[in-house]
Amino acid sequence: MSAPEKSPFIVVRGLHKKLGSQEILRGIDLTVLKGETLMLIGPSGEGKTVLMKHFIGLMRPDQGEITVDGVNVVGLREREFAPVRKKVGVLFQGGALFDNMTVEGNVAFPLIEAGVRDYQEIRQRVDEALELVELSEHKTKLPVNLSGGMRKRCGIARAIVGRADCILYDEPNSGLDPIVSDVIDQMIVRLQKRYGITSVVVTHDMKSVFKIANRVAFLKRGVIHFLGTPEELRQSPDEEVQNFIEGRSDVTG
Ligand SMILES: Nc1ncnc2c1ncn2[C@@H]1O[C@H](COP(=O)(O)OP(=O)(O)O)[C@@H](O)[C@H]1O
Ligand SMILES: [Mg+2]
């Protein structure tokens, strides 16, 4: 495996976001490096999903700077986000597949939406993406006929079909058994090795963190409370970090 490049892909500085009366993000500083798998952990409801939504313009900051592959995305107009969304694919919680479309149709959708009309090209790229997630044999099935793990893989294929440089995964392992969860982890690693894809993965699965993360960011109270390698996480003297990774309840919350 080639060592991840060290140049930044996503840079966040002093990001603040209030939703309703709640101050969710209170000065996030975070750099995601090109080619790395950065795993984002932290208690539920602390703003992990909210943070990722800012990367692709689904939420806008109240304050702060965000650059994606060198482009300052704060202040971009909605239609100016198209090139950013082409570079950054997303696998949302639940997968969000269209129930009335086959696996192929779901995977082709982002290409068609992006204006690709060459049928041959669509077919080729969809086939390539499905092969990568090992779903080629199931391409004519409807989502209702897929297992939970297969639905996630279909979502991954859809996230990469536009040749994204980066994929954001929101809890890709939630609701999956350990074996299927491991398959998803392997997919993330395969995309990193084969295409040098940058991944940001929100997860509660510490096993998965210690298995595939290059670095880990721990979000708490609206800031990145800890950032480091899995080994540094394990060795961290910080009590809140240890409580979280050991799954202990934390009264300091
Ligand atoms: N669109 C929204 N409007 C108002 N509040 C929201 C919205 N999205 C998320 N929140 C609130 O922001 C907080 C962080 O949510 P979220 O980012 O989903 O947490 P998590 O870390 O579990 O992903 C939660 O309190 C949630 O209720
Ligand atoms: Mg979330």
Side-chain angles (χ1 to χ4, degrees), residues 142-198:
L142 289 170
V144 67
N145 297 318
L146 301 177
S147 66
M150 282 155 77
R151 274 199 290 274
K152 296 273 178 173
R153 275 146 60 195
C154 183
I156 294 175
R158 195 173 57 178
I160 57 168
V161 74
R163 309 237 163 97
D165 298 313
C166 173
I167 302 184
L168 311 177
Y169 298 85
D170 202 352
E171 302 197 21
N173 296 336
S174 69
L176 302 181
D177 70 51
I179 308 272
V180 178
S181 180
D182 189 61
V183 171
I184 300 298
D185 285 349
Q186 295 318 315
M187 299 273 152
I188 296 173
V189 173
R190 185 185 293 181
L191 288 169
Q192 180 186 40
K193 284 189 187 169
R194 247 196 238 177
Y195 301 111
I197 294 211
T198 307

Side-chain angles (χ1 to χ4, degrees), residues 19-20 22 24 43-51 53 59 93 170-171 202:
L19 287 166
Q22 258 188 309
I24 309 295
S44 291
E46 292 277 322
K48 301 181 295 298
T49 299
V50 165
L51 173 59
K53 284 183 172 173
M59 279 193 184
Q93 250 164 316
D170 202 352
E171 302 197 21
V202 173

Side-chain angles (χ1 to χ4, degrees), residues 26-85:
R26 303 164 179 235
I28 297 276
D29 289 310
L30 181 66
T31 299
V32 182
L33 301 171
K34 256 181 204 167
E36 79 170 334
T37 296
L38 182 123
M39 298 186 83
L40 186 55
I41 60 172
S44 291
E46 292 277 322
K48 301 181 295 298
T49 299
V50 165
L51 173 59
M52 289 218 296
K53 284 183 172 173
H54 281 81
F55 301 162
I56 48 170
L58 298 181
M59 279 193 184
R60 302 308 185 104
D62 294 334
Q63 201 184 310
E65 290 167 29
I66 306 169
T67 59
V68 177
D69 203 15
V71 175
N72 176 2
V73 300
V74 176
L76 285 189
R77 274 175 265 177
E78 176 58 27
R79 61 183 166 76
E80 295 170 325
F81 259 100
V84 177
R85 292 186 189 139

Side-chain angles (χ1 to χ4, degrees), residues 213-230:
N214 296 119
R215 293 194 307 151
V216 192
F218 179 55
L219 198 161
K220 194 160 180 188
R221 287 186 293 269
V223 297
I224 301 298
H225 183 77
F226 167 93
L227 178 68
T229 63

